[in-house]
Amino acid sequence: MLNPSPRGVVCALALLTGGLLLTGCSGASEPEATETTEVRGTLTVPTVHEVVGNTTIVEPTCEAAPGYGDVRKGGQVAVLDPEGTIVAIGELGEGKSGIGNDCTFPFSVPDVPVGEKFYSIDVGNEFRGIHTITEDQLGVYQTLTIG
């Protein structure tokens, strides 16, 4: 013998009597809002500065050295879950000259859902590799270097 729930009985009675009591009878619930955070940091790559005589000309902005063409302003920064699924996408900002022959690009990836044990940060093409972090490190400023 079936033992219907009180909610099921109320919904059945409402339907039988022709009532318009629809709220709460579908069995579906409102989706819970997913908590998110922002992953921020920098990516540093080699650059080529112009050398005149014995003086290196350093510009306030820079471009990555040949072979790093995928690392540029607007380049994609993806955050992946442990299964390798992209969960959020951001982009690289304007590159800034650093000490020596380095070019540093800031990045920001908004709306990264929390709740996974590990995440990967993927910048540029598939040959750049990925940087793995824990959930606790999501809010820590990431400092990545290639080359």
Side-chain angles (χ1 to χ4, degrees):
M1 178 168 176
L2 292 176
N3 188 9
S5 70
R7 180 174 154 198
V9 172
V10 170
C11 290
L13 287 174
L15 290 172
L16 288 174
T17 60
L20 296 176
L21 180 63
L22 298 177
T23 305
C25 293
S26 69
S29 61
E30 291 289 321
E32 289 187 30
T34 303
E35 183 182 349
T36 62
T37 190
E38 179 179 25
V39 175
R40 297 181 40 202
T42 57
L43 172 68
T44 301
V45 296
T47 189
V48 177
H49 294 297
E50 181 181 356
V51 178
V52 178
N54 290 333
T55 305
T56 300
I57 309 299
V58 178
E59 300 292 329
T61 61
C62 58
E63 292 182 16
Y68 295 91
D70 56 314
V71 179
R72 65 188 179 292
K73 180 181 179 183
Q76 178 175 294
V77 179
V79 175
L80 297 82
D81 67 13
E83 288 77 37
T85 303
I86 295 174
V87 296
I89 296 176
E91 63 182 38
L92 294 171
E94 184 78 42
K96 304 284 184 207
S97 292
I99 299 171
N101 289 330
D102 292 336
C103 187
T104 300
F105 296 84
F107 66 84
S108 173
V109 183
D111 303 323
V112 177
V114 299
E116 299 291 345
K117 189 172 182 177
F118 295 101
Y119 293 84
S120 297
I121 302 172
D122 186 13
V123 181
N125 68 35
E126 67 273 10
F127 303 111
R128 301 285 175 228
I130 56 174
H131 178 72
T132 302
I133 59 174
T134 65
E135 181 180 22
D136 293 339
Q137 294 172 313
L138 284 176
V140 176
Y141 197 82
Q142 302 296 313
T143 305
L144 312 179
T145 302
I146 299 175

